[in-house]
Amino acid sequence: MLDFNVALLACIAIFYTFRRLRKIYRLRKLRQSLSCRNPPRFRRRGPLGINNALERLRFRGDILDGLLVKGFEKYGFTHEIKEPGLHAIMTAQPENIRTIMSTGFESFGPGKIRKRSMAPLLGQGLFTVDGEKWRHARNLLRPLFVKSKITDLTLVHKHLERILDFTIPNDDATWSGWTGPIDLKGLFERFTMDTATEAIFGRSVNSQLWATASISQGKVDGSAASMTQGFARAFDISLLGIVIRMVTGRLSFLFKRRKFSSAFNFVQRYVSLQVHHLLKDDLSQPSGIHKSFLAALMEAETLNEKQLHEYSTNLLIASRNTTAALLSFTFALLSLHPDILEKLRSEILSTFPIDQDSDRTKNRPGSSTITAEKLLQCRYLQWVLREALRLFPPIPIMAVEAKKHTVLPMGGGEDGDAPILIPKDQLVMFFPYFVHRRRDIWGDDAESFRPERWANSPPSWAYIPFAGGPRTCLGKQYALIHASYVVTRLLQTFSRIKPAHPTNDWLSAETESERSRLKVRSIRKSGFISLFLRKFQVHFWKDKSP
Ligand code: HEM
């Protein structure tokens, strides 16, 4: 019996070894016939690269600047990583990114890693599905982003007023001076959570209200506040859970922490409640541009609760942290570059003169002349936003998987100019963050914040904060209009912004270009699938009104 078992095991081992060797042989032949060469491979440390994997699992610092940048500096703009839990082609080459997102689009899909890491929060939603399912979902969502809807500023105006309520210490019309320290990440994450939930569900979580004393003043109901507060927290923890699942790849089962599963559950419960409200009461919401995204989807197609659920979580993840990251990095950068702030403010004030009649009680500069069209025409404002997105793309890394054997045009051989073969199921990670900072593309000041560089267009596919090709961001214009509005209103109100951290002051002794570089670097970054600003506080200055 023992002999039989040994023989059976030996047969199985021989079968798999044979299959593996046959695959290697076929791929080698294919590689030769397509004139492909292998990309450089990240040096493995320890047996099978176990030490690399351990380093990745233990790493606590900034993944982008601390761990991944080493690979690009040492092995070039396209290289391969093969270690337990992660086998990926890493690329920061525009030619490869064009192939992945556009010319070779049909050969790539979201793949298992994205599905596995995002499914607990996003289910079978737009970000995790592929083929016909994805096409159908995208076509259903597209009408939500028609011009008449994205240019409506009612929602952003309403929640922006709350930012002003929150930042300006009192309602006294004559008040002037520096505000207290304001954490940019917290400020804009609350703002985008409020706008996103109202846009999607038709009712806002109003996190800005519960962040102030409004609960005790009776402006919001306390039990609803604790639910929404819990939701905002659970949503953030869930995002972290997704990040960890992505970074740890197949080893993610080691990180099944209770904290993440309860956060995923909390988010699910909250979204279910909103979907339930919608199905029960809210389908009679106002028609036209003010209809919530979900109500508009229901008008176009009958969706069940599960589908509504998936659409809402996918839209929430797409819109909330990305727009918050854009706003917080923009204001952090402006606080470090007073010259750019002044130039931007003068464009804003000349295009939208302060309308003193608008709200005398609160001494708010007016919003009456601001339109989405005019905001998009403010050249310097758009350059500033583009430059912030270049240095800090909110989605710094994207991952796809090959659906069939295919080829990327660059990265093979010693000089990296040869095409590389991408076998079916191969994971490919590409990095807007590193492409956006390549000195050979953007010049020696690639790390500096210099909006003027946008007087010239960059080479194609070297700037991809909103991705590109058929899967390009659907909310691009919506996000840019909202961000432009917030920057405009805040700079109408405040004339100066300074960082609250004294650590930034010593940098002014450096030379101009070095100073800007260090200043940009001094902003701490974190995250993997989404980049956000951490622990950066500023003071805003309000002039005395005339
Ligand atoms: C600064 C803000 C934003 C940035 C940088 C951004 C960036 C991106 C990127 C890089 C993708 C491609 C993701 C991938 O395929 O892996 C994407 C997709 C998407 N974004 Fe945005 N986004 C922003 C804001 C928004 C907003 C406000 C909305 C909606 C209200 C939105 C809706 C979407 C949707 C629906 C997709 C999926 C498209 C598809 O798979 O077909 N985005 N976004």
Side-chain angles (χ1 to χ4, degrees):
M1 187 64 186
L2 189 68
D3 287 350
F4 175 75
N5 285 347
V6 172
L8 184 68
L9 282 176
C11 283
I12 293 173
I14 290 168
F15 172 73
Y16 279 107
T17 311
F18 172 74
R19 232 175 54 158
R20 175 111 191 97
L21 289 175
R22 194 180 57 173
K23 188 176 166 195
I24 292 173
Y25 174 75
R26 284 186 176 166
L27 285 177
R28 184 172 297 163
K29 288 291 259 183
L30 187 62
R31 193 172 289 121
Q32 275 166 3
S33 70
L34 295 167
S35 312
C36 292
R37 311 271 303 278
N38 285 330
R41 186 183 276 186
F42 206 87
R43 193 174 68 83
R44 285 178 177 187
R45 286 180 293 109
L48 298 172
I50 190 87
N51 291 355
N52 304 63
L54 288 175
E55 184 186 9
R56 191 155 41 87
L57 290 176
R58 286 200 207 113
F59 193 75
R60 291 285 168 270
D62 189 307
I63 290 165
L64 285 170
D65 282 342
L67 201 60
L68 294 172
V69 75
K70 276 195 229 159
F72 285 102
E73 278 169 6
K74 200 159 170 194
Y75 301 101
F77 294 120
T78 299
H79 59 269
E80 185 178 7
I81 284 193
K82 196 168 184 183
E83 57 193 46
L86 183 69
H87 178 196
I89 300 293
M90 320 285 270
T91 184
Q93 250 157 332
E95 297 82 353
N96 287 346
I97 293 172
R98 179 201 290 125
T99 307
I100 295 166
M101 293 203 290
S102 174
T103 48
F105 177 74
E106 295 298 339
S107 307
F108 296 93
K112 290 185 278 300
I113 192 164
R114 211 199 278 199
K115 283 183 195 152
R116 203 173 36 220
S117 8
M118 294 187 163
L121 186 65
L122 302 183
Q124 292 275 303
L126 192 64
F127 283 105
T128 51
V129 294
D130 196 14
E132 250 334 286
K133 245 183 169 173
W134 163 75
R135 233 177 294 278
H136 179 81
R138 188 165 169 107
N139 286 338
L140 190 62
L141 286 178
R142 206 191 301 274
L144 303 180
F145 299 95
V146 293
K147 195 171 165 213
S148 60
K149 293 199 174 158
I150 59 172
T151 53
D152 177 37
L153 300 172
T154 321
L155 195 68
V156 63
H157 172 77
K158 171 176 158 189
H159 294 284
L160 186 276
E161 286 300 308
R162 292 190 179 153
I163 291 195
L164 294 176
D165 285 342
F166 184 58
T167 46
I168 298 177
N170 58 47
D171 287 349
D172 174 4
T174 58
W175 182 83
S176 94
W178 288 109
T179 64
I182 291 167
D183 174 58
L184 290 174
K185 175 175 181 284
L187 179 78
F188 291 121
E189 285 190 350
R190 282 191 293 276
F191 166 76
T192 51
M193 184 58 117
D194 290 355
T195 45
T197 45
E198 183 152 352
I200 296 168
F201 303 117
R203 50 178 84 200
S204 173
V205 295
N206 286 325
S207 56
Q208 296 198 84
L209 287 184
W210 55 253
T212 60
S214 306
I215 300 169
S216 55
Q217 292 163 9
K219 288 189 201 160
V220 250
D221 145 40
S223 59
S226 72
M227 183 71 182
T228 54
Q229 191 169 5
F231 170 65
R233 260 201 226 116
F235 190 74
D236 289 340
I237 297 172
S238 302
L239 282 184
L240 185 67
I242 292 185
V243 169
I244 289 180
R245 289 167 80 96
M246 275 195 120
V247 181
T248 52
R250 288 197 196 96
L251 303 179
S252 65
F253 68 92
L254 295 173
F255 288 83
K256 279 203 166 158
R257 297 212 195 118
R258 257 260 278 298
K259 170 168 106 166
F260 298 130
S261 45
S262 24
F264 291 143
N265 288 342
F266 197 108
V267 172
Q268 305 292 7
R269 275 207 313 280
Y270 182 85
V271 173
S272 295
L273 192 72
Q274 299 304 322
V275 168
H276 192 72
H277 278 312
L278 178 91
L279 292 174
K280 209 164 136 257
D281 323 314
D282 293 354
L283 279 175
S284 54
Q285 281 172 2
S287 58
I289 49 175
H290 298 305
K291 221 174 186 43
S292 72
F293 284 176
L294 286 195
L297 287 180
M298 281 297 276
E299 214 171 55
E301 186 174 311
T302 309
L303 299 166
N304 61 32
E305 277 199 50
K306 182 167 170 281
Q307 289 167 312
L308 285 170
H309 201 118
E310 284 166 355
Y311 277 107
S312 13
T313 41
N314 278 266
L315 281 169
L316 207 52
I317 205 170
S319 58
R320 191 265 182 140
N321 292 55
T322 47
T323 315
L326 166 60
L327 284 168
S328 45
F329 280 116
T330 301
F331 279 94
L333 289 162
L334 290 175
S335 77
L336 295 169
H337 295 269
D339 48 334
I340 295 176
L341 170 66
E342 201 181 312
K343 199 165 163 186
L344 174 60
R345 189 164 191 262
S346 98
E347 180 189 63
I348 287 174
L349 293 186
S350 66
T351 320
F352 306 110
I354 294 176
D355 159 15
Q356 291 296 337
D357 287 336
S358 59
D359 187 346
R360 279 203 172 278
T361 48
K362 287 187 174 171
N363 193 32
R364 296 277 165 80
S367 54
S368 56
T369 57
I370 304 179
T371 62
E373 288 79 4
K374 278 204 219 164
L375 286 169
L376 292 174
Q377 280 161 15
C378 287
R379 199 167 72 135
Y380 201 65
L381 172 60
Q382 297 312 315
W383 286 0
V384 165
L385 293 176
R386 268 182 234 167
E387 185 68 346
L389 283 169
R390 182 184 70 81
L391 283 170
F392 299 104
I395 302 185
I397 305 176
M398 284 179 254
V400 289
E401 227 169 73
K403 294 198 279 191
K404 54 185 179 192
H405 296 335
T406 185
V407 172
L408 287 181
M410 300 286 285
E414 300 238 309
D415 50 11
D417 284 346
I420 53 176
L421 179 69
I422 305 291
K424 182 173 180 296
D425 297 330
Q426 173 67 60
L427 175 68
V428 181
M429 297 178 116
F430 56 102
F431 297 79
Y433 184 79
F434 294 117
V435 184
H436 289 182
R437 286 163 181 252
R438 278 180 58 163
R439 281 165 194 258
D440 57 331
I441 295 176
W442 298 95
D444 286 342
D445 65 353
E447 299 267 340
S448 303
F449 181 57
R450 193 170 65 80
E452 284 72 12
R453 76 174 78 244
W454 287 96
N456 303 310
S457 313
S460 63
W461 299 94
Y463 182 67
I464 41 163
F466 293 101
R471 257 193 136 116
T472 197
C473 173
L474 271 173
K476 175 181 169 184
Q477 288 300 88
Y478 180 91
L480 288 175
I481 291 170
H482 277 211
S484 303
Y485 185 84
V486 174
V487 174
T488 299
R489 290 300 311 284
L490 287 183
L491 292 195
Q492 279 183 325
T493 312
F494 301 110
S495 56
R496 285 187 278 160
I497 309 170
K498 67 173 182 186
H501 311 273
T503 45
N504 287 305
D505 292 348
W506 65 272
L507 295 169
S508 53
E510 305 286 334
T511 65
E512 183 53 38
S513 62
E514 184 65 1
R515 187 176 86 211
S516 345
R517 193 178 73 82
L518 285 170
K519 277 181 175 174
V520 167
R521 282 211 174 272
S522 74
I523 299 170
R524 290 178 60 195
K525 302 175 293 300
S526 164
F528 190 74
I529 52 163
S530 92
L531 196 64
F532 55 82
L533 178 72
R534 263 199 309 175
K535 295 188 185 153
F536 197 90
Q537 296 183 328
V538 297
H539 299 280
F540 289 95
W541 172 269
K542 183 169 166 293
D543 293 326
K544 219 170 184 63
S545 31

Short mmCIF file of all heavy atoms in Angstrom, two decimals, residues 182-206:
data_model
loop_
_atom_site.label_atom_id
_atom_site.label_comp_id
_atom_site.label_asym_id
_atom_site.label_seq_id
_atom_site.Cartn_x
_atom_site.Cartn_y
_atom_site.Cartn_z
N ILE A 182 -5.47 73.75 11.38
CA ILE A 182 -6.52 72.92 10.75
C ILE A 182 -5.85 71.75 10.04
O ILE A 182 -4.96 71.95 9.20
CB ILE A 182 -7.34 73.77 9.77
CG1 ILE A 182 -8.16 74.77 10.57
CG2 ILE A 182 -8.26 72.90 8.91
CD1 ILE A 182 -8.77 75.85 9.76
N ASP A 183 -6.28 70.57 10.39
CA ASP A 183 -5.73 69.38 9.75
C ASP A 183 -6.39 69.22 8.37
O ASP A 183 -7.61 69.01 8.28
CB ASP A 183 -6.01 68.15 10.63
CG ASP A 183 -5.58 66.88 9.93
OD1 ASP A 183 -4.39 66.79 9.58
OD2 ASP A 183 -6.43 66.00 9.70
N LEU A 184 -5.56 69.32 7.32
CA LEU A 184 -6.14 69.35 5.96
C LEU A 184 -6.81 68.04 5.58
O LEU A 184 -7.86 68.03 4.95
CB LEU A 184 -5.04 69.68 4.95
CG LEU A 184 -4.51 71.12 5.01
CD1 LEU A 184 -3.33 71.30 4.05
CD2 LEU A 184 -5.61 72.12 4.64
N LYS A 185 -6.20 66.95 5.98
CA LYS A 185 -6.78 65.65 5.61
C LYS A 185 -8.18 65.50 6.22
O LYS A 185 -9.15 65.18 5.54
CB LYS A 185 -5.87 64.52 6.09
CG LYS A 185 -6.42 63.13 5.87
CD LYS A 185 -5.38 62.10 6.26
CE LYS A 185 -5.86 60.70 6.04
NZ LYS A 185 -6.82 60.24 7.04
N GLY A 186 -8.26 65.78 7.51
CA GLY A 186 -9.55 65.64 8.20
C GLY A 186 -10.59 66.57 7.59
O GLY A 186 -11.73 66.17 7.31
N LEU A 187 -10.18 67.82 7.37
CA LEU A 187 -11.11 68.83 6.85
C LEU A 187 -11.72 68.37 5.51
O LEU A 187 -12.94 68.35 5.34
CB LEU A 187 -10.35 70.16 6.63
CG LEU A 187 -11.18 71.30 6.07
CD1 LEU A 187 -12.04 71.91 7.16
CD2 LEU A 187 -10.26 72.39 5.49
N PHE A 188 -10.85 67.95 4.58
CA PHE A 188 -11.36 67.63 3.25
C PHE A 188 -11.97 66.23 3.17
O PHE A 188 -12.83 65.99 2.32
CB PHE A 188 -10.28 67.85 2.19
CG PHE A 188 -9.95 69.31 2.04
CD1 PHE A 188 -8.67 69.79 2.25
CD2 PHE A 188 -10.95 70.22 1.71
CE1 PHE A 188 -8.38 71.14 2.14
CE2 PHE A 188 -10.67 71.59 1.59
CZ PHE A 188 -9.39 72.04 1.81
N GLU A 189 -11.56 65.34 4.05
CA GLU A 189 -12.22 64.03 4.03
C GLU A 189 -13.65 64.15 4.55
O GLU A 189 -14.55 63.48 4.05
CB GLU A 189 -11.42 62.99 4.82
CG GLU A 189 -10.20 62.56 4.02
CD GLU A 189 -9.47 61.38 4.58
OE1 GLU A 189 -9.77 60.97 5.71
OE2 GLU A 189 -8.57 60.87 3.88
N ARG A 190 -13.85 65.01 5.54
CA ARG A 190 -15.24 65.20 6.02
C ARG A 190 -16.07 65.85 4.91
O ARG A 190 -17.19 65.45 4.63
CB ARG A 190 -15.25 66.08 7.27
CG ARG A 190 -14.87 65.33 8.54
CD ARG A 190 -15.15 66.16 9.77
NE ARG A 190 -14.28 67.32 9.87
CZ ARG A 190 -13.06 67.31 10.38
NH1 ARG A 190 -12.54 66.20 10.85
NH2 ARG A 190 -12.33 68.41 10.42
N PHE A 191 -15.46 66.85 4.26
CA PHE A 191 -16.19 67.56 3.20
C PHE A 191 -16.58 66.59 2.07
O PHE A 191 -17.73 66.57 1.63
CB PHE A 191 -15.30 68.70 2.67
CG PHE A 191 -15.76 69.28 1.37
CD1 PHE A 191 -16.84 70.15 1.33
CD2 PHE A 191 -15.12 68.96 0.18
CE1 PHE A 191 -17.29 70.68 0.13
CE2 PHE A 191 -15.55 69.48 -1.02
CZ PHE A 191 -16.64 70.34 -1.05
N THR A 192 -15.61 65.77 1.62
CA THR A 192 -15.94 64.90 0.49
C THR A 192 -16.86 63.75 0.91
O THR A 192 -17.64 63.26 0.10
CB THR A 192 -14.67 64.32 -0.20
OG1 THR A 192 -13.84 63.73 0.80
CG2 THR A 192 -13.91 65.38 -0.95
N MET A 193 -16.77 63.34 2.17
CA MET A 193 -17.71 62.31 2.65
C MET A 193 -19.13 62.88 2.60
O MET A 193 -20.07 62.20 2.19
CB MET A 193 -17.33 61.90 4.08
CG MET A 193 -18.17 60.79 4.64
SD MET A 193 -18.07 59.33 3.61
CE MET A 193 -17.35 58.16 4.67
N ASP A 194 -19.27 64.14 3.01
CA ASP A 194 -20.60 64.76 3.02
C ASP A 194 -21.15 64.95 1.61
O ASP A 194 -22.31 64.65 1.34
CB ASP A 194 -20.55 66.12 3.76
CG ASP A 194 -20.31 65.93 5.25
OD1 ASP A 194 -20.29 64.77 5.70
OD2 ASP A 194 -20.15 66.94 5.95
N THR A 195 -20.30 65.46 0.71
CA THR A 195 -20.80 65.67 -0.66
C THR A 195 -21.05 64.33 -1.36
O THR A 195 -22.07 64.16 -2.02
CB THR A 195 -19.82 66.50 -1.52
OG1 THR A 195 -18.52 65.99 -1.31
CG2 THR A 195 -19.85 67.96 -1.21
N ALA A 196 -20.13 63.37 -1.17
CA ALA A 196 -20.30 62.08 -1.88
C ALA A 196 -21.56 61.36 -1.41
O ALA A 196 -22.32 60.85 -2.23
CB ALA A 196 -19.07 61.20 -1.68
N THR A 197 -21.80 61.33 -0.09
CA THR A 197 -22.97 60.59 0.38
C THR A 197 -24.26 61.28 -0.08
O THR A 197 -25.22 60.62 -0.46
CB THR A 197 -22.97 60.39 1.91
OG1 THR A 197 -22.62 61.63 2.53
CG2 THR A 197 -22.01 59.33 2.35
N GLU A 198 -24.25 62.61 -0.08
CA GLU A 198 -25.47 63.28 -0.56
C GLU A 198 -25.67 63.05 -2.06
O GLU A 198 -26.79 62.81 -2.52
CB GLU A 198 -25.43 64.79 -0.25
CG GLU A 198 -26.72 65.46 -0.66
CD GLU A 198 -27.08 66.69 0.14
OE1 GLU A 198 -26.42 66.98 1.15
OE2 GLU A 198 -28.03 67.37 -0.27
N ALA A 199 -24.56 63.10 -2.82
CA ALA A 199 -24.69 62.87 -4.27
C ALA A 199 -25.18 61.45 -4.55
O ALA A 199 -26.04 61.23 -5.39
CB ALA A 199 -23.36 63.11 -4.96
N ILE A 200 -24.65 60.48 -3.79
CA ILE A 200 -24.97 59.08 -4.10
C ILE A 200 -26.34 58.68 -3.54
O ILE A 200 -27.19 58.14 -4.25
CB ILE A 200 -23.87 58.15 -3.56
CG1 ILE A 200 -22.55 58.44 -4.28
CG2 ILE A 200 -24.24 56.67 -3.73
CD1 ILE A 200 -21.33 57.80 -3.67
N PHE A 201 -26.56 58.94 -2.23
CA PHE A 201 -27.78 58.44 -1.58
C PHE A 201 -28.91 59.47 -1.54
O PHE A 201 -30.05 59.13 -1.22
CB PHE A 201 -27.50 58.04 -0.13
CG PHE A 201 -26.41 57.00 0.01
CD1 PHE A 201 -25.24 57.30 0.69
CD2 PHE A 201 -26.57 55.74 -0.52
CE1 PHE A 201 -24.25 56.35 0.83
CE2 PHE A 201 -25.57 54.78 -0.37
CZ PHE A 201 -24.41 55.09 0.31
N GLY A 202 -28.54 60.74 -1.74
CA GLY A 202 -29.57 61.77 -1.61
C GLY A 202 -29.64 62.31 -0.19
O GLY A 202 -30.39 63.23 0.09
N ARG A 203 -28.90 61.73 0.74
CA ARG A 203 -28.82 62.29 2.10
C ARG A 203 -27.38 62.20 2.57
O ARG A 203 -26.71 61.18 2.37
CB ARG A 203 -29.78 61.61 3.06
CG ARG A 203 -29.71 60.12 3.06
CD ARG A 203 -30.65 59.51 4.07
NE ARG A 203 -32.00 59.38 3.52
CZ ARG A 203 -33.07 59.24 4.26
NH1 ARG A 203 -32.99 59.24 5.56
NH2 ARG A 203 -34.26 59.10 3.70
N SER A 204 -26.94 63.29 3.20
CA SER A 204 -25.53 63.37 3.56
C SER A 204 -25.28 62.79 4.95
O SER A 204 -26.16 62.85 5.81
CB SER A 204 -25.10 64.84 3.56
OG SER A 204 -23.79 64.96 4.05
N VAL A 205 -24.07 62.26 5.17
CA VAL A 205 -23.74 61.82 6.53
C VAL A 205 -23.48 63.03 7.43
O VAL A 205 -23.38 62.90 8.65
CB VAL A 205 -22.52 60.88 6.59
CG1 VAL A 205 -22.77 59.58 5.89
CG2 VAL A 205 -21.27 61.55 6.06
N ASN A 206 -23.32 64.21 6.84
CA ASN A 206 -23.12 65.45 7.60
C ASN A 206 -22.01 65.34 8.63
O ASN A 206 -22.14 65.80 9.76
CB ASN A 206 -24.42 65.87 8.31
CG ASN A 206 -25.42 66.43 7.31
OD1 ASN A 206 -25.01 67.08 6.34
ND2 ASN A 206 -26.69 66.16 7.51
#
